[in-house]
Amino acid sequence: ILKSFYGDAAQADNDFRYSWIPKPAKNSSWLTIHDEARQGTLDGLFAGGMSGVTIGPNSGRMSESLGKLKWLVVMDPLPTATSEFWRQPGTDPKTINTEVLFFPCTHWIEKDGSFVNSGRWAQWKWKVLDAPGEVKDDNWILGQLYLRLKDLYAKEGGTLPEPILNLNWKYSNPGNPSL
C-alpha cells in the first residue's frame, strides 16, 4: 500500500516510507476531536459529506466546540447544521470567532463514483445530472488543495514536506481526480 502512496520514494531500505504516515498519539475519535476543540488544542477541522453537529450525542456541545476553532471548512452540497452552527438559537454570532469556509460541492446525484454507507455497502453509480452553476466536485476541491499545498511546500518548505512532495498523484487529471 505504501508503494502505491509514494511510488519510487518507497523502498524496502527505507521501510517503504512508513515514517511518513501520521500516527495518532492518542484516541482520535469524533468526541475526542471535539474535546480538543473545546480545550483550544485543535485549530481547525475539515467536514466533508457529513454534518458533525448532528451525528454526536449532544448537538449543543458539538456546536460549542466548533465555536472554539480558529477555522472550519465544510464541503457539502447544501448548508448544514455544521456549516451554520453559529446561527443556532441561543447563540450570539458575535461571540463566535471561528472562520467558516463553506465550499458548495456536488451532490451524490451529480457525480459518478463509488460510495459506502453505515451498512458497509460499497456501491458504484453513474452521474444523473450536471451540477448547477460553478459548483465543483469534492474531488476537484481536494485535488486543487493538494496541488496548491504541494506547490507551497516546493517553494517554501515546511515541517516534513517529503510526504506531500512525494505523494503518488498520477491521475489523468490531477486537478480533478476521477473516481
Side-chain angles (χ1 to χ4, degrees), residues 7-166:
D8 292 338
Q11 300 294 326
D13 65 349
N14 60 27
D15 202 21
F16 297 98
R17 298 299 184 184
Y18 177 74
S19 63
W20 288 353
I21 302 296
K23 291 139 192 103
K26 56 185 184 241
N27 179 349
S28 295
S29 72
W30 185 246
L31 295 177
T32 301
I33 290 169
H34 279 272
D35 286 343
E36 290 174 355
R38 293 163 59 83
Q39 295 164 5
T41 59
L42 182 66
D43 289 340
L45 186 65
F46 273 79
M50 59 110 179
S51 183
V53 166
T54 58
I55 65 171
N58 181 334
S59 62
R61 182 180 169 136
M62 298 291 125
S63 293
E64 182 184 323
S65 66
L66 294 178
K68 305 281 186 189
L69 296 171
K70 292 179 183 174
W71 54 267
L72 171 66
V73 175
V74 180
M75 296 186 327
D76 221 285
L78 303 167
T80 65
T82 299
S83 68
E84 305 298 309
F85 78 91
W86 51 275
R87 296 181 191 224
Q88 73 177 351
T91 300
D92 179 2
K94 294 175 190 161
T95 66
I96 305 295
N97 293 321
T98 307
E99 182 172 3
V100 179
L101 304 166
F102 180 73
F103 294 157
C105 59
T106 49
H107 194 277
W108 67 267
I109 202 167
E110 299 164 342
K111 59 187 168 189
D112 293 333
S114 59
F115 62 99
V116 297
N117 64 20
S118 59
R120 298 182 181 152
W121 293 9
Q123 301 176 10
W124 178 267
K125 56 140 215 75
W126 301 105
K127 178 168 94 170
V128 175
L129 50 93
D130 291 327
E134 297 182 38
V135 172
K136 303 290 187 194
D137 276 348
D138 327 40
N139 297 8
W140 183 90
I141 295 169
L142 295 172
Q144 294 298 313
L145 177 63
Y146 168 70
L147 292 175
R148 293 171 194 202
L149 281 173
K150 183 178 178 181
D151 284 347
L152 280 173
Y153 271 105
K155 289 176 189 165
E156 300 176 12
T159 303
L160 195 60
E162 293 86 3
I164 300 294
L165 295 174
N166 288 286

